[in-house]
Structure formats: C-alpha cells, structure tokens
Amino acid sequence: ASPYRAVLCLGHIVDPDGRKMSKSLGNVIDPWTILDSRGADPLRWWMFHQGSPWTSTRTSLEAIDASTSDVLMTLWNTWSFFSTYAGLNGFDPADPAIPAPDQRPLFDRWLRSRVGSAVSEVTTALDDYQPLQAANAIAGLVDDLSNWYVRCNRRRFWRTDPTLDQADGLAAHAALHEALVTVSLLLAPLCPFLADRMWTQLTGAADDASVHLAAWPRTEEAAVAPALDEQMALARHLVS
C-alpha cells in the first residue's frame, strides 16, 4: 500500500516585506512565541486562511491577530452567546417540543440551507486539497451566523420575555445549536483544539469522545433551498 496519496508543497514563510526569514537579517519569528502567546489553532487558521499553502506566506503577529479576530473570535462570541442563553433557558437539544426543521420560521429554514451549502463547499474543497477554499467557506458561514442570524434573531433567545412564543424560542435555540455543531465538525481538520472543545460542550459528549472520532457532516439535499438563499442574500444586501 502507498504511504500517502497526495503531497502539498509548501511555500516559503517570509517576513511582512516579502523577504525570506533569516537570523542574519533579524526578521525571524520564533514559532514558540506564537504558540505561547496566540496558540496553535490561531496559527493554523491564519496559515490556511491567508492564501494557498504553496504560495509564499508573509508572516507577522499582527496578521495572525487580525485573522483570529475576524473569524475565530467571532465564532467564539457566537458560541458564547448560544451557551449563555441555552444555559439560562435550560435548553435541551432532545426536547420533544422543538419544532421539526421544516416547521420552523423562515430564518431558521434559511440557516439550515446555508449550513447545508457550506458543508458541500468545505467537503469539495478538502477533497480537492484546497484548504484556502475550505477556510473561506467556513469564514463565510461564521459571518452569516454572527452578523446576520444572531443579530436579527437575538430577541428570540430572550425566553423571559412574556410576549415571545415558546416554540419560536425553542426553534431558534435548536437552529443555532445545530449550526454550531456542524461548524465544529467542519473546523476540526483546520483548528482541532477549538473544534474539539466546541463539539464536546455542544453535544455533551463523554470525556473519551472527540470531534475527531465523529462522522463528517453530510448535506441534506432537501434542506438546501437556493431560492431562499438568494432572497436572504438580497435582504441582507438591502439592509446593509
């Protein structure tokens, strides 16, 4: 049997001016400085998201921080938002009162479609050894989760508001929970530590379970609604 099927040839790690890093030039960044101050996942994410791995990579702590803030911290804040309100409201993903996916409000059906499309994009990209395209697809989904779904539906998570319908609140919790679980699965090959922590907390998995042992998500073709995606994209464009 072959020891491997494909090889990616990595480009040079260069400084912000495009010069090859060299101790004599004094432009080397000690990788342990990055790992100790930022962590492994932010470094991995930045390397996947900044460009194709075979191109030269301009490296700086500022670039890594910006990439982390744009996507990983946005995802962390969305996850924190869900966890806070799920805990306050006693949300249980197995609650039989949660409406079926096709019976949920329009926004929730759109989110399910959006997640399904992202699963297809990321799967195709990784199968083709295109980590940049996979990272871009995940980044786009995280942006839609935080800056559109949560922003427009925040009030639905305030279960203490007597004017809100309980089933509607359950639908919102379930929709965001399902989306975040899928994001953790998609993120696992790129940011293994963050993905494992997210997945474990969101699923309530046992200590010996891991996102890296879970099945890769599959797109539910019936959930993907291109016409709905286009309408929501237009609505967001008009609002923004």
Side-chain angles (χ1 to χ4, degrees):
S2 300
Y4 50 81
R5 296 180 181 178
V7 176
L8 291 183
C9 183
L10 302 182
H12 287 297
I13 302 295
V14 298
D15 72 7
D17 297 322
R19 300 176 301 172
K20 184 177 178 181
M21 288 190 173
S22 169
K23 289 183 178 179
S24 62
L25 294 176
N27 60 351
V28 173
I29 299 178
D30 185 344
W32 287 108
T33 299
I34 302 174
L35 295 174
D36 290 340
S37 61
R38 273 73 178 173
D41 277 357
L43 176 60
R44 289 170 61 95
W45 173 258
W46 169 75
M47 294 190 74
F48 287 126
H49 195 226
Q50 60 79 37
S52 297
W54 44 84
T55 60
S56 295
T57 303
R58 298 193 179 208
T59 310
S60 70
L61 295 177
E62 292 76 15
I64 296 170
D65 290 344
S67 178
T68 301
S69 176
D70 288 345
V71 181
L72 296 187
M73 286 307 301
T74 299
L75 174 60
W76 185 282
N77 291 336
T78 305
W79 171 30
S80 178
F81 169 85
F82 168 80
S83 299
T84 297
Y85 283 100
L88 288 174
N89 298 326
F91 172 70
D92 180 1
D95 189 336
I98 296 174
D102 60 351
Q103 299 300 315
R104 296 174 189 171
L106 182 69
F107 242 119
D108 299 344
R109 298 201 304 274
W110 165 79
L111 181 58
R112 187 163 176 250
S113 174
R114 179 68 183 85
V115 171
S117 297
V119 169
S120 295
E121 290 180 55
V122 175
T123 302
T124 299
L126 292 180
D127 283 346
D128 291 340
Y129 302 98
Q130 298 286 345
L132 173 60
Q133 282 81 348
N136 285 339
I138 293 172
L141 177 59
V142 169
D143 179 65
D144 285 348
L145 271 176
S146 174
N147 295 317
W148 186 241
Y149 182 80
V150 170
R151 182 170 294 183
C152 293
N153 292 275
R154 187 179 297 271
R155 190 168 177 268
R156 296 172 64 199
F157 292 83
W158 299 343
R159 296 279 292 281
T160 55
D161 187 335
T163 66
L164 298 181
D165 178 75
Q166 183 178 9
D168 184 66
L170 283 173
H173 281 72
L176 185 54
H177 175 265
E178 292 161 7
L180 288 170
V181 170
T182 302
V183 170
S184 72
L185 290 165
L186 297 176
L187 193 63
L190 309 184
C191 298
F193 301 106
L194 173 59
D196 205 36
R197 183 171 177 183
M198 279 186 64
W199 183 85
T200 301
Q201 190 264 349
L202 288 166
T203 62
D207 292 340
D208 58 348
S210 170
V211 69
H212 306 295
L213 300 176
W216 185 256
R218 293 186 177 182
T219 300
E220 296 182 44
E221 297 300 334
V224 178
L228 178 57
D229 294 344
E230 292 177 5
Q231 292 169 2
M232 194 64 76
L234 177 59
R236 184 174 180 181
H237 174 72
L238 293 173
V239 168
S240 61

